[in-house]
């Protein structure tokens, strides 16, 4: 799991951002629920990317981690568009226009820490 910041465990609500049919998002949500963690899910497809939260995510983990450059959405972008993603501002514009390019899930933990991706081992250190 990339971009972990802070490590204090908490049993409060965890906010999970992503796309419901994404296998990694499904695994993360299931794992958290199985651990008794209350999950608040934000669906990028239905609710959009929370533009007000992007600056905090970028500050916590960086655009290089947040933009999934290995995924199908990235590969489908034309070379000019991909080459233009060079900083927070250009990555923000891309993520707002193409939510599927965001690596998933983005998790905002109860203590405000932000992480991206899922592994049971990394999540176990959080709950």
């Amino acid at each position: 799991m990339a971009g972990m910041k802070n490590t204090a465990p908490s049993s409060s609500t965890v906010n999970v951002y992503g796309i419901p049919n994404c296998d990694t998002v499904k695994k993360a949500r299931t794992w958290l629920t199985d651990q008794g963690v209350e999950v608040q899910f934000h669906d990028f497809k239905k609710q959009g990317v929370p533009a007000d939260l992007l600056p905090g995510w970028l500050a916590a983990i960086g655009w290089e981690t947040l933009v999934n450059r290995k995924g199908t959405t990235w590969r489908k972008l034309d070379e000019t568009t991909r080459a233009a993603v060079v900083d927070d501002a250009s990555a923000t514009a891309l993520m707002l226009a193409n939510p599927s390019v965001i690596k998933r899930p983005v998790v905002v933990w109860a203590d405000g820490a932000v992480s991206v991706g899922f592994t049971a081992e990394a999540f176990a250190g959080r709950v």
Side-chain angles (χ1 to χ4, degrees), residues 4-10 111 113 125-127:
M4 182 65 72
K5 191 177 179 186
N6 296 337
T7 55
S10 176
D111 64 0
R126 299 288 317 170
V127 296

Side-chain angles (χ1 to χ4, degrees), residues 47 53 65 104 113 116:
Q47 298 169 276
L53 299 180
T65 300
R104 302 175 296 266
V116 174

Side-chain angles (χ1 to χ4, degrees), residues 94-107:
L94 177 69
M95 291 183 284
L96 290 172
N98 298 285
S100 295
V101 80
I102 299 173
K103 186 171 182 179
R104 302 175 296 266
V106 176
V107 180

